[in-house]
Amino acid sequence: MSRNYRKEYDNYQGKPDQIANRSKRNSARDAKEKQLGYKLKTKQHVHHKNGNPQDNNSSNLAVRSQSANTSDNKQSKKRKK
């Protein structure tokens, strides 16, 4: 079965709150790159320590590897349930 990207966008990614979150995550990456003075590598993510993508304070942002960031995000979602 193939993945229906249009349906995913319509049902989740296209919602106003998700668009706002994505925009904040992109601006957090830009801000961290400006603070560091260089572009982050492809496998590096900007981590929001408190898990809130709307909070882009410099004290809340950290650069982490893709695997570490993804792993921690999955664990925190399990704890919330």
Side-chain angles (χ1 to χ4, degrees):
M1 182 165 183
S2 64
R3 190 167 166 182
N4 187 344
Y5 291 98
R6 180 76 243 176
K7 184 177 178 186
E8 281 183 34
Y9 185 82
D10 291 340
N11 291 336
Y12 182 73
Q13 297 170 8
K15 302 289 182 190
D17 55 335
Q18 292 306 318
I19 292 171
N21 285 343
R22 182 171 60 246
S23 174
K24 284 292 199 167
R25 285 191 299 269
N26 289 340
S27 60
R29 185 175 181 93
D30 292 341
K32 197 63 174 175
E33 287 177 343
K34 187 173 183 177
Q35 178 188 10
L36 295 172
Y38 61 88
K39 300 226 14 122
L40 297 176
K41 296 177 185 171
T42 305
K43 298 282 184 171
Q44 290 179 313
H45 285 190
V46 174
H47 172 66
H48 289 85
K49 295 176 186 176
N50 66 3
N52 180 4
Q54 298 291 326
D55 183 4
N56 284 344
N57 291 327
S58 60
S59 61
N60 185 43
L61 301 177
V63 177
R64 301 189 68 199
S65 70
Q66 177 184 2
S67 60
N69 194 41
T70 306
S71 173
D72 284 352
N73 289 343
K74 287 178 185 175
Q75 290 174 5
S76 67
K77 285 182 182 178
K78 287 180 184 176
R79 280 188 232 127
K80 288 180 184 177
K81 288 183 179 180

